[in-house]
Amino acid sequence: MNTTMTIAAAAIATLFATSAFAQSAREIRGGSPYVAIENEPAPKLIVDPPLPEGLSQGVFWAQYRVENLRIQQVFGKGALQVSPRVGHLHIIVDDLPWWWADASDNNTVDIAGLPPGPHKVTIALVDPNHNVFPGQVLTVPFTVPQSAKLSHDHLK
């Protein structure tokens, strides 16, 4: 009986301790789209290192998240007035002169067919008019191993 009471007390204490540290939806997801946010904090881009499981196949998979901005397929001058703020990503591989816009918010940049050797991917957080938010350009250097089995070998 004593053991049962001790286990029950520990379970209840754990439940209350976990609840006390839980964050609200607003703290995790940001403001509601139904209410304008006054004096929005600056947006922030966070990018993790590429996943090794992808690099071994010649694929760059890097998870990302943003703060104080929603990644959405909304473009143009009028979208600059939206609150909470919206934007998207620009992605550049190996300093090529072109980039592509990613407004999917799927939380992972996915680039396949990279040959073995050193590479870098530059990810910029931009507004609906494609202007970079100050300080929100991250370059991720990585190396595809020589032993990589390229993901597009089946196309040959």
Side-chain angles (χ1 to χ4, degrees):
M1 181 75 164
N2 247 356
T3 304
T4 304
M5 295 283 281
T6 302
I7 292 172
I12 290 170
T14 301
L15 178 65
F16 283 121
T18 302
S19 298
F21 294 108
Q23 293 179 302
S24 71
R26 182 182 177 98
E27 289 171 321
I28 299 295
R29 302 276 324 251
S32 169
Y34 298 107
V35 180
I37 298 174
E38 300 296 325
N39 302 315
E40 286 185 85
K44 184 174 181 181
L45 173 65
I46 298 99
V47 179
D48 291 348
L51 299 173
E53 296 87 348
L55 294 179
S56 67
Q57 302 172 59
V59 178
F60 175 89
W61 286 323
Q63 291 183 272
Y64 68 88
R65 69 181 180 88
V66 296
E67 295 177 354
N68 308 316
L69 179 134
R70 294 175 193 262
I71 301 285
Q72 296 197 345
Q73 298 175 12
V74 180
F75 303 94
K77 184 178 174 184
L80 295 174
Q81 306 310 312
V82 173
S83 177
R85 182 185 294 115
V86 295
H88 58 279
L89 303 177
H90 284 178
I91 301 169
I92 302 167
V93 178
D94 290 336
D95 292 325
L96 290 169
W98 51 269
W99 50 264
W100 74 89
D102 182 352
S104 67
D105 197 22
N106 73 355
N107 116 335
T108 303
V109 174
D110 179 357
I111 306 167
L114 295 163
H119 298 278
K120 63 182 172 179
V121 171
T122 301
I123 304 170
L125 186 59
V126 302
D127 71 20
N129 280 341
H130 308 283
N131 299 305
V132 175
F133 287 104
Q136 299 310 305
V137 177
L138 298 174
T139 298
V140 181
F142 62 97
T143 301
V144 173
Q146 292 298 322
S147 61
K149 179 168 175 25
L150 299 183
S151 64
H152 63 285
D153 281 348
H154 66 283
L155 299 175
K156 293 179 182 178

